[in-house]
Amino acid sequence: MFYPRFFSLSCKSLALLGFAITQVNNVQAQTLQDNTWHGGIAIGGSLASSNTSSQTFNVVANATKASKEDKLGLYSLINYGSNKVNNIKTNTAQLLRLGGRYDYNLSENSFFFGGGELETNKIQNIDSRYAINAGAGFKLIKTDETNFDLFTGIGFSETQFGATIPPSPTSKRGFEFLLGEESTHKISATSSIKQRWTVYPGTGDIGTRSTLDINLATVVANGWTLNAGAALSYTSKPSNNFKSTNSLITFGFGYKY
């Protein structure tokens, strides 16, 4: 079953994130409504060279601009990896995900939203995927320590695959529902964690997909941060019998503004 496996991966990811917590400066969970961009970027990677060579590179970034009337949020995830053996180079990761959402406040605790996402993941045979959606949400918790939102809506997505083996299709498109939640938690004087879990039950042959993103930032000095993250994804109908679940754990150094 997908959900027990997905929650098991989530718990393991949260446990790994806990090791990165230290305490130096102050952070907050509440979104500032000052009509100014706030967010953070974290960069991580590795380079190894011997009889074989390998390299990895990842970037996690987010930005939010909010006022009393509305909010615009943007996010991105980049993960690249390669390995070279006997002068033969093999890519081990090629993931790029860009997305955003605009919220218009209908009341103090409810909002209407419209959003979209672009993704490519060559290792999973996804040449390109785009998704657009719209719906409504509710601000369930809004305190200095925790923000927690629930949202639902409907959208449309199209996925173009790379090399396919019949009867696997070369592309899938269709309407999909949207169910999700996101939150920001102040877990210490210096550390905050953001997470977003979204499920997309689709129509026709596009199946159901889901994404879970978790990011922990700990301020060490003057906005500079230590970061850890987890990105988990699931699709019920992968191309060419690829695995249904994918996971990525990242650690890096960043800046919070």
Side-chain angles (χ1 to χ4, degrees):
M1 293 289 291
F2 153 60
Y3 292 104
R5 291 177 60 191
F6 202 66
F7 278 118
S8 176
L9 287 170
S10 304
C11 292
K12 292 178 182 178
S13 302
L14 286 171
L16 288 172
L17 294 179
F19 287 110
I21 299 175
T22 59
Q23 299 194 6
V24 181
N25 292 334
N26 291 324
V27 298
Q28 59 184 18
Q30 191 70 261
T31 301
L32 295 177
Q33 297 180 334
D34 57 359
N35 207 31
T36 301
W37 286 104
H38 298 279
I41 182 171
I43 300 175
S46 65
L47 179 64
S49 179
S50 183
N51 293 327
T52 64
S53 62
S54 63
Q55 57 184 342
T56 64
F57 175 75
N58 58 75
V59 178
V60 178
N62 65 81
T64 301
K65 183 179 181 182
S67 68
K68 291 184 178 180
E69 293 78 26
D70 58 7
K71 181 177 71 173
L72 176 62
L74 304 174
Y75 60 89
S76 64
L77 171 62
I78 301 172
N79 183 45
Y80 173 81
S82 67
N83 186 50
K84 182 183 287 187
V85 180
N86 296 325
N87 291 322
I88 299 176
K89 184 177 179 180
T90 303
N91 289 327
T92 57
Q94 282 182 286
L95 169 65
L96 169 63
R97 186 189 303 161
L98 303 172
R101 198 181 81 193
Y102 173 77
D103 298 352
Y104 181 79
N105 295 327
L106 301 174
S107 69
E108 185 177 352
N109 295 316
S110 62
F111 58 90
F112 170 83
F113 72 85
E117 187 175 87
L118 300 173
E119 181 179 353
T120 179
N121 190 347
K122 298 299 180 71
I123 304 303
Q124 286 302 117
N125 204 36
I126 298 174
D127 270 357
S128 65
R129 172 188 286 142
Y130 75 85
I132 54 175
N133 49 66
F138 184 77
K139 302 175 184 180
L140 190 64
I141 302 175
K142 189 170 59 174
T143 68
D144 290 339
E145 290 75 27
T146 299
N147 278 357
F148 184 76
D149 297 347
L150 298 174
F151 52 91
T152 185
I154 191 170
F156 182 87
S157 72
E158 180 177 1
T159 303
Q160 298 285 341
F161 299 109
T164 56
I165 302 174
S168 293
T170 59
S171 65
K172 292 181 180 180
R173 68 182 68 181
F175 289 96
E176 56 188 12
F177 295 100
L178 169 67
L179 302 169
E181 55 85 12
E182 64 180 0
S183 63
T184 302
H185 306 273
K186 178 182 177 181
I187 56 179
S188 76
T190 60
S191 301
S192 64
I193 187 168
K194 300 181 70 172
Q195 64 84 32
R196 180 178 62 250
W197 182 29
T198 311
V199 181
Y200 304 87
T203 59
D205 64 349
I206 65 174
T208 297
R209 60 187 182 93
S210 181
T211 59
L212 172 64
D213 296 288
I214 307 170
N215 292 286
L216 170 69
T218 298
V219 178
V220 292
N222 300 321
W224 295 102
T225 59
L226 294 176
N227 298 78
L232 310 174
S233 64
Y234 166 83
T235 179
S236 64
K237 296 183 179 181
S239 170
N240 290 351
N241 294 319
F242 278 63
K243 285 187 176 181
S244 296
T245 58
N246 297 279
S247 62
L248 170 67
I249 305 295
T250 60
F251 295 93
F253 189 65
Y255 185 76
K256 192 178 183 70
Y257 58 92

